[in-house]
Amino acid sequence: MESKIWLSSPHMGGNEQSYVNNAFETNWIAPLGPHVNGFESDLQKYLNTDCHVAALSSGTAAIHLGLILLNVGQGDEVICQSKTFSASANPIVYQGATPIFVDSENDTWNLCPEQLEIAIKDRIAKGKKPKAIIAVHLYGMPYKVDDIHKIASAYDIPVLEDSAEALGSTYHSKKCGTFGAIAVLSFNGNKIITTSGGGALVTKDPKLKDKAVFLATQAREKAVEYLHAEIGFNYRMSNVLAGIGRGQMEVLDDRVSARRNNFEIYKSAFSTIDELTFIDEPEGYFSNRWLSCVLTPSEATRDGIRNALDKQNIETRPLWKPMHQQPVFKDVPRYLNGVSDNLFEKGLCLPSGSNLTENEINRVISAIKMYFRA
Ligand SMILES: *Cc1c(COP(=O)(O)O)cnc(C)c1O
């Protein structure tokens, strides 16, 4: 059996280890320290706006705190893109609120502006204005930022921007992770850069950053004794892991180029196979191409390719199964147009790591060409 080709595996740049060693040498083995501050400041510089960043234990924790900062609580409703990973939606339920799932459009596979407005109007008519909108830049492709934010501000609903998959992507030259009232990044092991596990909350309001850090460190009031006036969480990033993050920031631009290059290689290799199509970047959109995704004509073809590649020890995965199809969310209100169901049926994520070798990517291409006898 040939060696396993993963969908998206961690890719260290080289300097991570020395940051980690420094954490050991200085005994900053704690969920605070110079690397935590350094990583936050690296991210702020990278995002290149007046952003404030709180480094946290995961992207999920960042979404949870983001919802708290947007005052989402018991009985509230929060609109969430249905086509996403469950971590976008779960924190809504942690807060005792109800997700309202909204379908995607075909240009970016993200939140559909028309369906969004239909949903907002209908929820208001039913008696409750949604407290927030969670929009996702899926697979690194920016959502329709102008359209979505225009609707959100017309109804005065804040957007929580789930940029977990989109660090390095831009929309009309502005970095993803800077559009929402709150934005969220993830550094999980499969993301474009990783701290093994980690996340960040991004905001333009320094008071919200301070509040996020306060809540993430058990809501300890300024007092010598441990004094608590609010319920807190243990969500801060470890200084050891932030050291990995600092090393990864040095190579982020390379990681974006490598992933974009994978996409171009697949696209040109399959240009003669009519059954396979890819999503292009609309004018002004720049995707980090976190995962290269291909659309096939049918579920049977998608599964055929997936099984053929699995036999050759190559990992692939259907596009995210929409949240409205998940058993755990079967009773949740939804506003659908068929787009995310269709994408789920026909779409497949191909191995996309920035560390894929030429030989590995050629193995993927040959296996797919063999499937089509092309
Ligand atoms: C990975 C991911 C998250 C969650 O991030 P974690 O750091 O794994 O908690 C949230 N939303 C999306 C879209 C993701 O892909």
Side-chain angles (χ1 to χ4, degrees):
M1 180 69 98
E2 288 199 82
S3 61
K4 175 97 177 179
I5 301 179
W6 298 98
L7 200 62
S8 178
S9 69
H11 186 189
M12 293 297 105
N15 285 340
E16 293 84 0
Q17 190 93 56
S18 61
Y19 286 104
V20 171
N21 288 345
N22 171 276
F24 275 73
E25 284 153 12
T26 55
N27 203 33
W28 280 105
I29 313 291
L32 80 168
H35 289 334
V36 176
N37 302 337
F39 185 40
E40 288 177 342
S41 123
D42 293 346
L43 285 163
Q44 276 161 212
K45 280 194 204 106
Y46 182 80
L47 295 172
N48 203 18
T49 58
D50 45 354
C51 282
H52 301 271
V53 175
L56 301 172
S57 54
S58 70
T60 311
I63 295 173
H64 188 193
L65 291 184
L67 291 173
I68 294 171
L69 295 178
L70 297 176
N71 297 314
V72 171
Q74 193 74 37
D76 287 334
E77 293 188 347
V78 175
I79 288 182
C80 181
Q81 182 167 322
S82 187
K83 190 156 191 69
T84 186
F85 176 50
S86 65
S88 305
N90 285 339
I92 301 170
V93 181
Y94 303 165
Q95 279 308 97
T98 305
I100 307 291
F101 292 128
V102 172
D103 218 321
S104 290
E105 35 77 13
N106 276 311
D107 299 332
T108 75
W109 300 355
N110 295 312
L111 202 55
C112 170
E114 283 85 43
Q115 290 298 318
L116 172 63
E117 188 152 22
I118 290 169
I120 295 173
K121 282 186 174 153
D122 192 53
R123 297 327 291 176
I124 293 173
K126 288 191 161 75
K128 239 179 224 175
K129 185 169 121 176
K131 261 309 201 25
I133 297 166
I134 301 180
V136 188
H137 307 295
L138 218 57
Y139 304 117
M141 181 67 83
Y143 61 77
K144 293 189 170 175
V145 173
D146 285 342
D147 294 341
I148 297 296
H149 286 254
K150 201 168 140 203
I151 295 167
S153 52
Y155 291 91
D156 199 22
I157 304 172
V159 175
L160 194 157
E161 179 192 357
D162 183 344
S163 196
E165 302 178 1
L167 183 60
S169 298
T170 65
Y171 174 84
H172 291 283
S173 307
K174 288 203 185 112
K175 293 230 160 61
C176 289
T178 64
F179 299 114
I182 304 269
V184 162
L185 303 172
S186 167
F187 313 109
N188 202 355
N190 58 344
K191 297 287 158 58
I192 191 147
I193 61 166
T194 183
T195 57
S196 76
L201 182 146
V202 186
T203 167
K204 296 213 167 64
D205 181 349
K207 284 201 214 80
L208 284 186
K209 181 215 160 148
D210 292 346
K211 184 80 200 252
V213 171
F214 168 79
L215 291 172
T217 47
Q218 309 285 25
R220 283 205 306 268
E221 302 291 337
K222 284 201 174 63
V224 180
E225 78 276 26
Y226 279 180
L227 178 71
H228 305 276
E230 280 178 74
I231 295 295
F233 302 86
N234 185 3
Y235 278 173
R236 197 69 163 129
M237 180 178 277
S238 153
N239 190 61
V240 179
L241 304 190
I244 303 177
R246 297 206 74 184
Q248 289 273 277
M249 284 305 285
E250 296 177 6
V251 293
L252 174 54
D253 289 338
D254 298 338
R255 300 300 181 254
V256 174
S257 313
R259 295 219 180 218
R260 285 178 61 83
N261 192 42
N262 290 338
F263 178 85
E264 292 305 326
I265 292 171
Y266 285 131
K267 197 177 155 191
S268 86
F270 301 136
S271 60
T272 52
I273 304 178
D274 292 339
E275 290 95 328
L276 299 181
T277 58
F278 293 86
I279 186 178
D280 287 323
E281 290 161 322
E283 178 76 34
Y285 290 60
F286 178 91
S287 170
N288 66 11
R289 296 291 187 190
W290 172 55
L291 295 185
S292 288
C293 306
V294 66
L295 288 182
T296 73
S298 67
E299 191 169 359
T301 319
R302 182 201 77 184
D303 287 343
I305 298 174
R306 209 181 58 72
N307 291 329
L309 270 63
D310 188 52
K311 286 204 186 81
Q312 308 222 14
N313 216 12
I314 300 169
E315 182 186 25
T316 61
R317 212 170 269 276
L319 303 195
W320 297 125
K321 186 183 180 86
M323 289 304 111
H324 68 264
Q325 287 196 33
Q326 302 291 353
V328 70
F329 292 127
K330 66 183 184 331
D331 298 324
V332 163
R334 69 262 334 262
Y335 295 83
L336 306 180
N337 57 15
V339 171
S340 65
D341 288 339
N342 180 59
L343 291 170
F344 172 60
E345 224 175 87
K346 299 177 178 165
L348 193 67
C349 303
L350 302 176
S352 303
S354 49
N355 51 2
L356 280 182
T357 64
E358 203 178 324
N359 177 46
E360 286 173 326
I361 207 160
N362 285 336
R363 267 177 60 200
V364 178
I365 291 168
S366 325
I368 293 178
K369 284 189 167 169
M370 205 132 76
Y371 175 82
F372 286 102
R373 295 182 170 67

